[in-house]
Amino acid sequence: MKVLVTGGAGYIGSHTVYLLIEQGHDVVVVDNLVTGHKQDVHPDAKFYYGNIGDYPLMVDILRKEKVDGLIHFAAYSLVGESMSQPFKYYENNVSATNVMLAAMAECGVKQLVFSSTAATYGDVNVPLITEEMPTHPTNPYGQTKLAMEQMIAWHGQAYGMRHVAFRYFNVAGAHSSGRIYEKHDPETHLIPLVLEVAAGVRKQIYIFGDDYATPDGTCIRDYIHVMDLAVAHVKAMNYLIDGGKSMTFNLGNGEGFSVRQVIEAAQKVTGREILTHVSDRRQGDPAKLIASSLLATETLNWIPQYPSIEAIIESAWKAAY
Ligand code: UFG
């Protein structure tokens, strides 16, 4: 198949592009390189520099490349930043996706795999989150991703496009080659920051609140390996090409780890001491998010290959250091 990957120079996008190419697919990438890295785009992918909110550019690419479908990663994705700069998130995530969808309609592209987030659920106090749980995002990032999901669904109804939306839980880890890995600037995610402390790049890790209603007081998240996510995207595109109906799936491991447990696991994997300092809660953080990914397993035959937190951390550690 031939796929256009938006945000293919970003963390999850670049890993998905690698997998698509390893499986023999043709890949076209569009990325504005605001947060992505040109060197992370697989050399066999065709690269277009630009913005998905640029209608003439998107129509031009879609007309020329005649892809079977789009995998849409391009977006801003930081919870904390979205709280202080909501405008940026509505502009880049919602408005630009709207333009991209109009270009897809114009060019008759009928299949879309969309990168959504567990942040669409908000603060849900249940052992396992399933896709039919109510969605009440606690930050503009989650709210814009939910709006994008809804836009995509309405657009699909109007133009006969089918989609899969994936609500990711916490992504970490790297491609086994070590050629690409998570490198945000500035980095805000827990696992890469903890590894920076282990590597001596950073003095200590700030624990954002230890007064949550969890066993050790720190936030609990469900960590999933980036290559497991990549596999899900390829499976979803195949599912849509085979005529599958529009669906929304969670992607996680179904097990939660607290911030303190992640730090302990990182100490074990790296064999280094990791200094911690408890600071204030970060605004917009739900206490606990753990996925049920049963629907993805049943529908797409998707089974994570990296279920352990140690394996995920080890993969990130090996690639980055
Ligand atoms: N944390 C710290 N210290 C840090 C960084 C993070 O204590 O220096 C904590 C956070 O408060 C949170 C946990 O570690 O409790 C994980 O934080 P991340 O920033 O790594 O990830 P988030 O849970 O905020 O966000 C991730 C994705 C989002 C997605 C969200 C779903 O980045 O795209 O999971 O909750 F929306």
Side-chain angles (χ1 to χ4, degrees):
M1 63 186 168
K2 185 170 183 182
V3 185
L4 174 64
V5 179
T6 75
Y11 171 42
I12 308 171
S14 62
H15 284 75
T16 304
V17 170
Y18 264 62
L19 183 70
L20 283 161
I21 287 174
E22 281 159 13
Q23 294 189 353
H25 303 295
D26 288 331
V27 183
V28 179
V29 168
V30 58
D31 200 300
N32 62 10
L33 301 179
V34 170
T35 55
H37 308 274
K38 178 70 175 37
Q39 71 272 21
D40 287 353
V41 178
H42 194 289
D44 295 344
K46 184 162 179 189
F47 179 74
Y48 287 92
Y49 169 75
N51 202 314
I52 58 153
D54 179 341
Y55 182 78
L57 173 77
M58 290 306 287
V59 168
D60 188 42
I61 295 173
L62 291 173
R63 286 217 175 109
K64 252 193 223 140
E65 300 295 345
K66 301 191 179 11
V67 293
D68 297 300
L70 252 91
I71 304 184
H72 179 33
F73 293 103
Y76 290 144
S77 61
L78 301 178
V79 170
E81 183 186 66
S82 80
M83 295 294 285
S84 56
Q85 299 177 62
F87 165 78
K88 189 172 160 177
Y89 280 70
Y90 280 91
E91 176 74 29
N92 189 55
N93 295 1
V94 179
S95 306
T97 295
N98 193 33
V99 173
M100 185 198 81
L101 289 170
M104 287 178 73
E106 171 67 20
C107 302
V109 181
K110 304 280 189 200
Q111 270 114 209
L112 176 69
V113 178
F114 171 57
S115 157
S116 188
T117 171
T120 51
Y121 292 110
D123 219 339
V124 227
N125 204 5
V126 292
L128 283 180
I129 300 173
T130 54
E131 291 82 355
E132 68 271 12
M133 301 276 325
T135 43
H136 298 296
T138 55
N139 52 65
Y141 166 61
Q143 188 71 59
T144 57
K145 284 278 177 167
L146 185 60
M148 290 156 90
E149 280 188 15
Q150 291 161 344
M151 279 161 62
I152 289 168
W154 287 115
H155 174 94
Q157 200 164 308
Y159 298 104
M161 183 194 77
R162 285 166 301 110
H163 74 277
V164 164
F166 282 130
R167 292 178 177 162
Y168 314 151
F169 283 63
N170 287 59
V171 189
H175 190 262
S176 58
S177 67
R179 284 174 65 194
I180 49 172
Y181 52 89
E182 183 170 12
K183 39 179 152 0
H184 295 109
D185 185 19
E187 189 52 77
T188 64
H189 291 115
L190 181 64
I191 291 180
L193 287 176
V194 164
L195 294 179
E196 283 186 13
V197 181
V201 176
R202 191 176 285 267
K203 255 177 74 185
Q204 59 192 352
I205 183 80
Y206 290 94
I207 296 177
F208 296 149
D210 67 352
D211 56 351
Y212 285 94
T214 60
D216 68 14
T218 66
C219 287
I220 293 178
R221 294 289 183 272
D222 179 343
Y223 293 87
I224 181 81
H225 196 281
V226 67
M227 291 313 294
D228 280 329
L229 286 194
V231 168
H233 288 76
V234 180
K235 281 181 180 280
M237 190 49 83
N238 280 315
Y239 160 87
L240 291 172
I241 288 171
D242 289 346
K245 63 173 182 159
S246 293
M247 296 281 285
T248 298
F249 298 111
N250 288 339
L251 293 180
N253 266 313
E255 203 180 344
F257 293 93
S258 71
V259 173
R260 284 203 189 278
Q261 286 175 316
V262 169
I263 296 167
E264 274 161 31
Q267 292 195 137
K268 209 166 116 195
V269 166
T270 61
R272 314 266 178 95
E273 199 196 342
I274 295 167
L275 274 183
T276 61
H277 179 86
V278 177
S279 62
D280 289 345
R281 287 182 176 198
R282 187 173 63 182
Q283 250 195 314
D285 266 345
K288 178 175 145 192
L289 289 170
I290 308 174
S292 161
S293 303
L294 199 62
L295 194 60
T297 299
E298 284 173 357
T299 314
L300 301 176
N301 191 25
W302 176 76
I303 298 162
Q305 299 302 301
Y306 294 87
S308 95
I309 189 74
E310 280 89 6
I312 294 172
I313 293 174
E314 191 175 9
S315 139
W317 175 245
K318 274 193 182 151
Y321 300 100

